[in-house]
Every structure is written in structure tokens, then in C-alpha cells.
Amino acid sequence: MLEATPKEIVDRKALRINPAKTCQPIGAMYAALGIHGCLPHSHGSQGCCAYHRSHLTRHYKEPIMAATSSFTEGSAVFGGGANLRQAFTTMYKLYNPDVIAINTTCLSETIGDDIPTLIRESRESGIIPEDKVVIHANTPSYVGTHIAGWSNMTKAMVTYLSTKTDTAKNQINLIPGYVEPSDTRHLKQMLKTLGVEAVVFPDTSEVVDTPQTGEFHMYPKGGTTVEALRTTGNSLATLALGPEASKAAAVELEKKCQVPYQLLDLPIGIAATDRFVQAVMEVTGVEPPESLVEDRGRLVDIMTDWQQYLYGKRVALSGDPDQLVPVTEFLISCGARPVYVITGTPSRYFETRCKEILQETVPEAIVKADTDLFYLHQLIKNEPVDLLISNVYGKYIARAEDIPLVRFGWPILDRVGHSYFPSVGYRGSMHLLCNIINTLLERKDRDDPDEVFELVL
Amino acid sequence: MNEVIFQERAKQIHRKGDAPFELACNKESLAGAVSQRACVFCGSRVVLYPIADAVHLVHGPIGCAAYTWDIRGALSSGPELHRLSFSTDLQERDVIFGGEKKLTQALHELIDRHHPNAAFVYSTCIVGIIGDDLEGICKKASQEKGIPVIPVMSEGFKGNKRAGYNAACKAMFRLVGTGDTTEISPHSINILGDFNLAGEIWIIREYFERMGIEVVANITGDGRVGDIARAHGAALNVVQCSGATMDLAKMMKEDYDIPFVRVSYFGIEDMAEALYKVAHFFKDDSEILHRAQQIVREELSTLYPQLQKYRQDLQGKKAAIYVGGAFKAFSLVKAFRLLGMEVVMVGSQTGTSEDYRELHEVTDEGTIIVDDSNPLELSAFLKEKDVDIFVGGVKERPIAYKLGLGFCDHNHERKEALEGFVGMLNFAKEVHATVMSPVWRFVPRREIRQ
């Protein structure tokens, strides 16, 4: 299928082949699902909403609920105001959500629908009941990527809801980044272990990883509540994990409610998790309990027990900037050589940090943002790698070049586990590392001729 | 809450036996609804996508290309160009200054590298607004590169999926009539409305070939540009699926006077009827009908005994159906009946009133018939009817599983061929496997029932 990929790399300006990104609205929809009782609303053609729901469904194997303004030719000419008003009426009548989180699309952005005004007017005319929350984010599909969409919607939670009152709260805010429900769940657990009160937002655990009960709930148990979101203005500090996804909301909180923030890499791998724990300690004054120290020890134990299989291994990575930076760092600390690191998202943070991490040990590494998987495939064709770490779309390259693949990131449409087993924190990193090591060993067993094929590795 | 939904949507829901049959359909979805429907682009994309030796370039922001990248198992026996994702990835500056230059450049690059036999350029919402001259650019590229470069006018907001089917048919119609037809047999057909999911068109083609009929073009499963170009040389169009390629058949009837028949390849009855319908068309050669009868006899004699063991387990189990086109639903109703099962709910995204009337006729008393449904409504029906298996597409699957029901994907994500006689067996196996799986015993709601 990929046989047409030529080795020779030419600069492409007009054509994207096999993208390593998608558009803003889906990220906004995913973030909005992390608010309790929220119905995401896509202000555009109904295809956008259908595609986002299908895509998220394929990744989470869960029902994904969202409504759409169902634009028609009339809306494209006269604006989508009437559609949005109709949509409010329909949603309150049929689904009665506590929160509606509106994201725009390329169509509604280009037409120029003024969402805040439309919300205000609908509120004044009583279409939006008084006790209901409506927030919105501008998410034009032709600017940034799904990460920007997540970031914009998370920022909107602050803009619309965070409030500073006189009563300071002994809690921190944690913005977990564009991560899996398993990651958010684990981060909450870590904070609990550390004895820290926190508002974690958005929080998609218990929303897109719900237990089987035999019932379908339009609004699952999970999600950050509006009440909790309001109190974020009174928190001691904000820890924002993954700058591309989380920075905007943290900055907004500081601007709006003077809550200071710390920007951290996602806590994947030993060093990044150390920095996260350190930051929590600094902000709250807590000391890590023995159990957390032991988790750390177990992670280091795996790293030492199996280092011989990772040392010097050439690794190619594709994914989202916030994930790739700490994973690159983690691989370096395990002795591997991340030689190609690419993302479809334009990101200075990604390029600067990755180069910083790689310059000492892998100076020849190629780090590139705003590119695609066709380019990564070309790199690999020129000089192969031992391992590919990528979301599901890496499977074509892995097959074409016969490279072992560790599925990591978003989306994963063909395997189970990402919703349930985290990659953040010491424990999550153990899980990720085991996956990497086992994948390499699986390949070794497959490739080894009989005479060297061994029982014990 | 459910009460309200049913009031609002009362006209699009019918319970057989309640009142004289009447069902509102082909309506735009209500804004604000959690609709299961998609857009024009989606309709065009699914129809043209299986043409494997063409490049499919999505002119728009990245999402439209990303969400339609290889999501449909439309198999190809040769080239696999259709499985790559090509996009002009429009950015803000393109939206302001126009995307024409970018599109031209992208087309040149693509055609030079991949040497496709044609290029389809899909218009998306934003292109409809900024007004890029797709027609002009494609025409110019076509002249320069010497292959058909065809615009697909599939701006998302210009209707629903059905409008997208139409845009796709118009695009294909530009190819039809451009190829050489001299060698084509008088006993020849085009297969329309099959997308070769899980290799289905290969099964169907083989039946026709065994009958002594030449298949000129697959439209579009395992499709080729050159075949479509000479499709006007076929004697008959055999059309499956309610909406997707019907418009093309009608256009070919009008311009080339090629008659068409509507068929379905799902289930024993419909499959056999499809072969007979085609055989009857070629009256001049009685051997064709004879061979069709022989095929049906042979296939059934191996199939029936094998079906029995599944039927034993499935007897009396209840099924619900919610599919894209209503035409598929007819066959499914019959197929379930053959397995001894009862269909208690049936609905579609894009059915016409004609479709629904026919559904009303083939279903049992008490069956719920529904148009353009939504998750809340579907889950209420599934629970009310205490269903054992739900047949639907990607968005329906998790609803079934959450409710603790078996599920069969009869849409893009089917992994087994369900068409043809062998497809009936695969269907029985799949239904049997999911209905009889022991996992449902652990679903709390159904634990209580037992």
C-alpha cells in the first residue's frame, strides 16, 4: 500500500499525505466530554459531528454523545443563528443537559457567526433556561490541530466558569492535557496518594471508560462538575501538564483569577514524573508517601533489569507534541536512540524541547513539527529504525518496512487497553516501558533463528 | 425524558398495527439533535472511495481527509491508492486568499508521483464558501496531465448523505462513455452499489461469470477508472443499495438507454432473486437462466444443512435493525426470518417513503419502524423490545454493548462477507457468535432477567 513512497525527500507545500493530525473541533468535543453533564455541540454541518463521534467511538469503543447545528445551504448564506437557536430548543427539550459546550467549525467560522452574542440573545429570550450553563470555543478547522481544539475548549471552561471569591481554597488545579481517561484517573490517584486536594479538568474518566451496567446513560457519572470548575479561581496554583494542550487555560486562570501556574511536561518517564511530583510538593508542601517512592523504585528496577534490550535501539516516533517530548526523554534515559520524532501539529515547544533533549546523545536526530507520516516513512526508508512508536496510523509504515510497532497516543482504532492502562506517572511509565520492551522481545523471538532462539531472555 | 422524545418525533416512528401506515421521512434532521446522520461529503466519499486506481484528493482543512482515511474495508485486488489520505490541508491564509493555487500544485504533485488513471477532487464546506473554481482547476489539470481530473461537488452543508451520493454519481458519469466498448459481450452487466466490503463483490462477480455474463464495471467496489469509462457498453445495470448509485443508473438509462434492475445480495431469497432477475433479462439465451438455477441449487444444497445448527440456537431470538439505507433492511428482515428470528425494530437514516411502505409490508405486527433515529430513542426501543441482537454501524455498536446486547456491523466495519449465499452463512455464524456469547450473562441488567 505504501510502495509509492519515494526515498527522495522533496519539500511539499501544497499536499498533505497521510496526516499526523486532525482538526480542532474533535479536540474541543473530547475536552467538553470531560465536563459532567455536558452535551458537546458542533456548530456546523452534521457531517463534522458525525465524523467526530465516529472517530471517538472507534478509539474508545463507547457511545459518544454530541449534537449538531445541522447547517444547510440557507445557514451558509444567512448565518447559523437560527440553527443555533433551534438547536438550543431541541437540546433542552430532548436531552436536558446541564452544560452545553459549543465548538465552531470551518464553516461557521468563515460565515462569521458570533457565538457569544447568539448565546446572550438566546439567554435573554429565555431559550436557554436560567440555571443552565453554556460555554463556547472558537475552533476553526483551518487553524492548528485537534490539540488546539482541546486547548481552546479547556480555556473556555476557565473563561466562562472560573471565579475568584474571598474564600481561598486549599486545593490546586490540575490540567491533565490531551490524555486518556486512564491517565486522568491515575493522576487523580497520585494526588490522592500525595494527600492533595485538586480540581482536575477536564476529566474524561468515568465518561469514555464507563463500566458495563446494561444501561445506556447519556450523561455518565464522570466529568468535572461545574461547581468544581467555578472554584478553580480560588485555588492555590495551577499545574498545567503538556504546554500545547494545557497552557492556554492556565494562563487564562492567572489572568482572570490571579492563580499562579506552573507549566510542566506530561509526566511520562522517570524524569518528567519526578518533576511533576516535585512541583506538587513545592506548591502544596506535601511529602511523597512511601508507596509513591516504591512505585518510582519499581520503574527504575524495570529500566535496569532490561536495559540491554533498549540500549542503542533506533526509534522513530509520531504523535502529539505533549506526549512526544517526555517519551523522547524517557527513551533517552533508557539508552534508546529516538532518531526521528515527528508530529503533524505545528509546535515550537515540541521542536525546542526535543532538540534540547536529543542534542547530547542523538545529535543526528531529526525532529520535525507540522509534517506528516509520508515524510516519516521517507526518513525510515532512507535509514531504517528498530522500533516505531506511533498512534494507529503508524501500522502502515510498520507493515511496509517490517518494523515492530508500539501503539501509543491518539487515536488507536485497532487495539484495546489505552482507556484502561495509563502511561503517565511512575506506574503508567512502567506500563509503557513494558509494552516497549515486550514488543522488541516479541520481534527478537520472531526473528531469531532456531539455534539462538532462547527460553530465557 | 423519553416521553418528550417520542412526542417530538412521533411522525417518524410507526408501530405496525397501531394505525394506518404513515411515516414522515427524508426530512432534514432537527438542529440540536444527536443525529446518526452525516453530510454530503461523507456520501460522496463512501461511494467513490473504492475506485482503487484513482487518487482521491480532499480539498479542505485536514479533518475531512483524516476522518475518511481508510475507514472502510473496501478491498482492492490490485492498486491501493484509495487507501492513502491526500489533502490540501487548507490553512487560514488559504481561506482568505483562496486555495486554488494550492490545489493545482497538489494535483500536479500527486499525479506526477502516483500516475493514477484519474483524480477525484472533493469539495468541502469551506471550499463552497471561499468559492475556489474547482471545475476550472480540474479541467486545466486534466488537459495538462492527460487523465480525467474530476471535481466532486460535495460541500458538506448542501444536504445530507443522499445529496452526496448524487454528487458522486455525477462525478462518475463524466467518466462513463469515454472508454472503448467494442469487445463487450451482449450478455454483459455493470454491478452498481456494491463496495466490496470484506471482498463481497468478488463473490457476486463469480456468480455472474458462472452464468456466462460479462461484468464490465464494478461500481464501485474494487473499481477501476477504465472499467467505469466503458460501463456504457454493458447491456444492463444491476443496482444494489437504495440510494448510493441509483442516480448513476438513471443517468445511464437516460443518456445511453441502458435499463437497470434493483437487487440485493443479502440473504438467500434476495440473492437468488438477483440472479434470476438478471437471467430473465437475457431471454435470448436460456442457458443463462439454466445456469443461474444450477448455481442456486448447488449453493443452497451446501448452505441449508449448515444453517440448521445455527437456526436451532437462534429460534425465537429478537433482532433490531438500524442501517443507513432502507433497502438493506428488507433483506435483513428476511435473513433473520430464515434464521427463525423475530425482527422487532427496523429503521434507517435515509429511507424514502416508498422504502418504509415496503418495510411495513414485510414486517410483523408490533414491529417499530423508525426514520432518522437517535441514541436515546434507539436504546429505549432496544430495552422495551428486550432485543438479543442489534444490527447497525459504528455509532450503534457501543450502544448495543452498553445495553448488553449482541451486535453485528452491517456497515463499513463488517469484517466478514455478508453478501451472496456464502454470506448468509457468514451472517448466521456472526449472529450466532454474538447472540450466544457467554459474556451477556455478566451484564447486570440481563442478570436480573435470568
Side-chain angles (χ1 to χ4, degrees):
Chain A
M1 191 181 136
L2 296 187
E3 55 279 354
T5 311
K7 248 177 144 175
E8 189 202 341
I9 298 172
V10 282
D11 198 26
R12 274 174 294 130
K13 286 202 176 70
L15 181 63
R16 191 64 79 196
I17 311 173
N18 299 346
K21 62 171 180 179
T22 184
C23 66
Q24 279 211 52
I26 196 170
M29 186 182 283
Y30 180 56
L33 288 167
I35 305 173
H36 180 70
C38 176
L39 184 61
H41 181 82
S42 170
H43 187 54
S45 298
Q46 56 190 17
C48 306
C49 188
Y51 278 137
H52 303 150
R53 288 177 58 213
S54 295
H55 212 59
L56 290 167
T57 293
R58 289 184 173 111
H59 177 82
Y60 292 108
K61 312 297 179 203
E62 290 281 313
I64 302 292
M65 293 300 116
T68 163
S69 289
S70 293
F71 271 35
T72 58
E73 275 202 275
S75 350
V77 179
F78 302 112
N83 294 58
L84 191 58
R85 279 188 291 275
Q86 172 66 58
F88 282 136
T89 308
T90 310
M91 284 188 276
Y92 288 120
K93 210 173 204 176
L94 300 188
Y95 313 117
N96 198 27
D98 295 334
V99 184
I100 292 172
I102 303 166
N103 68 261
T104 59
T105 56
C106 45
L107 181 54
S108 54
E109 282 290 332
T110 313
I111 297 169
D113 281 346
D114 177 4
I115 308 292
T117 304
L118 289 169
I119 295 175
R120 203 190 56 235
E121 285 170 3
S122 297
R123 214 175 256 296
E124 282 164 7
S125 64
I127 297 174
I128 303 173
E130 251 173 56
D131 57 333
K132 298 292 186 181
V133 173
V134 179
I135 70 172
H136 101 285
N138 290 96
T139 52
S141 320
Y142 46 76
V143 178
T145 67
H146 56 294
I147 305 297
W150 193 95
S151 171
N152 286 333
M153 185 53 85
T154 304
K155 179 184 167 195
M157 295 173 200
V158 174
T159 313
Y160 276 90
L161 297 169
S162 301
T163 319
K164 190 178 178 66
T165 63
D166 293 337
T167 30
K169 286 224 152 202
N170 190 25
Q171 67 181 23
I172 63 165
N173 304 320
L174 181 75
I175 308 173
Y178 195 134
V179 294
E180 294 298 319
S182 50
D183 294 325
T184 314
R185 182 189 306 283
H186 186 55
L187 288 167
K188 288 197 294 186
Q189 229 162 33
M190 282 179 81
L191 291 175
K192 205 170 164 193
T193 312
L194 282 158
V196 172
E197 289 289 324
V199 178
V200 179
F201 75 96
D203 176 4
T204 55
S205 64
E206 304 283 352
V207 180
V208 292
D209 62 348
T210 60
Q212 164 64 264
T213 60
E215 299 293 337
F216 163 66
H217 296 287
M218 181 130 184
Y219 306 108
K221 194 165 90 180
T224 316
T225 61
V226 168
E227 296 71 53
L229 282 167
R230 290 196 203 282
T231 69
T232 50
N234 287 333
S235 296
L236 298 169
T238 302
L239 296 184
L241 309 185
E244 285 299 340
S246 303
K247 185 179 176 184
V251 171
E252 179 81 351
L253 250 171
E254 187 186 57
K255 223 166 64 187
K256 191 178 172 194
C257 305
Q258 297 79 49
V259 181
Y261 69 88
Q262 276 198 43
L263 213 51
L264 298 162
D265 296 326
L266 276 178
I268 302 174
I270 190 92
T273 307
D274 283 351
R275 292 195 294 274
F276 168 63
V277 174
Q278 190 67 39
V280 177
M281 287 161 62
E282 278 167 22
V283 170
T284 60
V286 295
E287 284 297 316
E290 195 57 23
S291 64
L292 199 67
V293 177
E294 283 170 0
D295 278 345
R296 184 184 193 280
R298 270 184 282 269
L299 172 60
V300 178
D301 198 50
I302 298 176
M303 290 166 69
T304 53
D305 285 351
W306 297 88
Q307 33 71 34
Q308 67 273 36
Y309 294 107
L310 269 171
Y311 187 79
K313 287 283 185 293
R314 289 168 56 83
V315 187
L317 296 108
S318 163
D320 295 330
D322 291 342
Q323 270 78 2
L324 290 180
V325 167
V327 171
T328 300
E329 184 188 43
F330 190 27
L331 287 168
I332 289 284
S333 56
C334 293
R337 300 177 69 77
V339 284
Y340 311 130
V341 193
I342 70 112
T343 177
T345 299
S347 167
R348 194 163 300 157
Y349 156 74
F350 164 79
E351 292 194 317
T352 318
R353 282 284 287 136
C354 282
K355 280 175 188 159
E356 226 171 68
I357 291 164
L358 291 162
Q359 66 184 9
E360 284 284 311
T361 38
V362 195
E364 77 276 21
I366 294 172
V367 175
K368 196 166 160 97
D370 197 10
T371 186
D372 53 30
L373 286 159
F374 183 82
Y375 173 70
L376 180 63
H377 188 202
Q378 290 187 304
L379 293 176
I380 293 173
K381 276 197 143 175
N382 279 285
E383 208 176 340
V385 292
D386 303 302
L387 178 72
L388 173 60
I389 299 179
S390 163
N391 63 19
V392 65
Y393 295 111
K395 77 191 270 185
Y396 302 110
I397 299 176
R399 185 180 169 94
E401 303 303 325
D402 196 21
I403 309 165
L405 168 67
V406 168
R407 283 169 180 76
F408 170 76
W410 184 93
I412 295 172
L413 312 175
D414 64 340
R415 290 292 188 275
V416 61
H418 44 274
S419 312
Y420 310 103
F421 304 105
S423 349
V424 300
Y426 301 119
R427 288 207 198 170
S429 304
M430 283 162 67
H431 175 246
L432 177 64
L433 184 56
C434 289
N435 198 356
I436 292 171
I437 294 167
N438 289 342
T439 303
L440 285 168
L441 295 180
E442 203 59 62
R443 170 55 58 107
K444 179 179 157 53
D445 276 347
R446 194 201 83 174
D447 290 352
D448 278 348
D450 264 2
E451 59 273 26
V452 292
F453 175 73
E454 286 195 71
L455 177 69
V456 182
L457 295 175
Chain B
M1 194 197 286
N2 287 336
E3 278 311 303
V4 186
I5 292 184
F6 296 136
Q7 279 168 26
E8 277 295 306
R9 297 239 322 125
K11 286 185 179 150
Q12 281 168 279
I13 301 166
H14 181 83
R15 284 164 192 267
K16 184 163 174 179
D18 275 7
F21 179 71
E22 202 179 334
L23 196 77
C25 61
N26 218 356
K27 281 171 52 169
E28 298 300 333
S29 298
L30 208 53
V34 179
S35 170
Q36 307 295 78
R37 281 178 170 173
C39 63
V40 183
F41 168 73
C42 177
S44 293
R45 190 85 170 96
V46 294
V47 170
L48 297 175
Y49 169 78
I51 303 173
D53 58 345
V55 292
H56 299 265
L57 174 60
V58 181
H59 187 39
I62 199 67
C64 302
Y67 306 121
T68 54
W69 177 11
D70 204 23
I71 55 162
R72 200 172 201 211
L75 308 187
S76 164
S77 55
E80 298 206 300
L81 257 179
H82 65 305
R83 299 185 63 185
L84 302 177
S85 176
F86 302 119
S87 166
T88 48
D89 191 7
L90 292 182
Q91 299 296 306
E92 195 160 24
R93 48 163 306 164
D94 306 318
V95 173
I96 298 165
F97 298 110
E100 298 188 351
K101 250 196 194 151
K102 211 173 180 182
L103 176 58
T104 303
Q105 209 179 326
L107 270 171
H108 278 247
E109 198 181 313
L110 259 179
I111 295 169
D112 290 345
R113 184 180 315 111
H114 294 283
H115 312 291
N117 292 328
F120 290 103
V121 180
Y122 299 78
S123 182
T124 57
C125 286
I126 197 90
V127 174
I129 299 293
I130 62 178
D132 282 355
D133 176 18
L134 237 61
E135 194 71 56
I137 292 164
C138 290
K139 197 171 166 192
K140 197 150 175 269
S142 184
Q143 282 161 357
E144 285 171 19
K145 297 291 171 189
I147 60 161
V149 179
I150 301 170
V152 185
M153 306 317 277
S154 52
E155 296 86 351
F157 58 86
K158 287 193 170 163
N160 60 22
K161 226 167 146 178
R162 192 172 270 283
Y165 298 153
N166 183 269
C169 287
K170 281 183 179 154
M172 281 191 285
F173 194 57
R174 290 179 176 220
L175 278 177
V176 174
T178 59
D180 176 20
T181 58
T182 43
E183 299 284 299
I184 296 174
S185 151
H187 299 143
S188 56
I189 60 169
N190 299 309
I191 299 180
L192 278 75
D194 187 294
F195 305 103
N196 202 30
L197 303 178
E200 288 171 336
I201 210 167
W202 296 330
I203 299 171
I204 305 306
R205 261 188 90 112
E206 202 228 24
Y207 295 149
F208 286 126
E209 281 160 9
R210 273 160 72 189
M211 283 164 64
I213 289 169
E214 178 182 348
V215 178
V216 180
N218 295 352
I219 299 174
T220 55
D222 197 13
R224 298 291 182 276
V225 172
D227 294 341
I228 298 172
R230 55 202 286 275
H232 59 296
L236 176 69
N237 278 330
V238 183
V239 191
Q240 191 187 227
C241 198
S242 354
T245 52
M246 193 40 117
D247 291 337
L248 181 64
K250 286 179 181 163
M251 290 175 213
M252 287 174 73
K253 169 91 179 84
E254 200 150 298
D255 280 28
Y256 298 100
D257 204 25
I258 301 175
F260 61 84
V261 287
R262 280 180 86 174
V263 298
S264 164
Y265 308 123
F266 292 113
I268 291 175
E269 287 169 62
D270 287 359
M271 183 63 240
E273 199 190 315
L275 299 185
Y276 292 147
K277 255 190 194 172
V278 173
H280 284 304
F281 179 80
F282 297 108
K283 283 193 196 79
D284 58 317
D285 184 352
S286 58
E287 264 308 293
I288 291 179
L289 179 62
H290 181 69
R291 284 191 288 260
Q293 286 162 335
Q294 204 173 336
I295 291 170
V296 173
R297 215 170 20 244
E298 273 172 30
E299 295 284 338
L300 290 190
S301 65
T302 48
L303 180 62
Y304 264 128
Q306 296 185 72
L307 278 180
Q308 289 318 311
K309 62 175 180 199
Y310 299 113
R311 199 186 146 100
Q312 260 168 20
D313 287 338
L314 293 172
Q315 190 78 39
K317 302 273 187 200
K318 289 182 235 167
I321 299 165
Y322 188 75
V323 286
F327 205 63
K328 199 187 282 174
F330 306 143
S331 305
L332 281 166
V333 170
K334 290 183 230 171
F336 276 121
R337 206 166 275 156
L338 186 72
L339 294 174
M341 296 171 69
E342 196 186 331
V343 174
V344 291
M345 188 212 99
V346 55
S348 86
Q349 290 176 40
T350 56
T352 62
S353 50
E354 196 184 320
D355 292 332
Y356 287 117
R357 191 150 300 129
E358 207 171 324
L359 264 183
H360 182 253
E361 268 160 38
V362 297
T363 47
D364 298 324
E365 287 290 296
T367 302
I368 297 170
I369 301 171
V370 61
D371 176 61
D372 185 23
S373 195
N374 60 66
L376 272 186
E377 201 173 273
L378 289 172
S379 69
F381 293 147
L382 296 172
K383 274 168 71 179
E384 179 201 315
K385 293 287 186 182
D386 199 13
V387 162
D388 295 290
I389 181 171
F390 186 24
V391 179
V394 57
K395 291 189 291 293
E396 284 76 51
R397 181 194 293 269
I399 296 171
Y401 289 163
K402 274 285 172 267
L403 293 173
L405 317 172
F407 184 81
C408 167
D409 192 304
H410 215 281
N411 203 348
H412 309 311
E413 291 180 9
R414 79 175 73 130
K415 304 296 176 208
E416 295 289 336
L418 301 177
E419 291 181 2
F421 298 103
V422 64
M424 182 65 215
L425 182 62
N426 291 339
F427 180 66
K429 276 185 196 165
E430 204 173 324
V431 170
H432 185 266
T434 188
V435 168
M436 302 308 288
S437 170
V439 300
W440 313 123
R441 270 186 273 158
F442 301 95
V443 172
R445 185 175 65 89
R446 302 184 79 186
E447 252 170 17
I448 298 161
R449 190 177 71 170
Q450 286 168 1

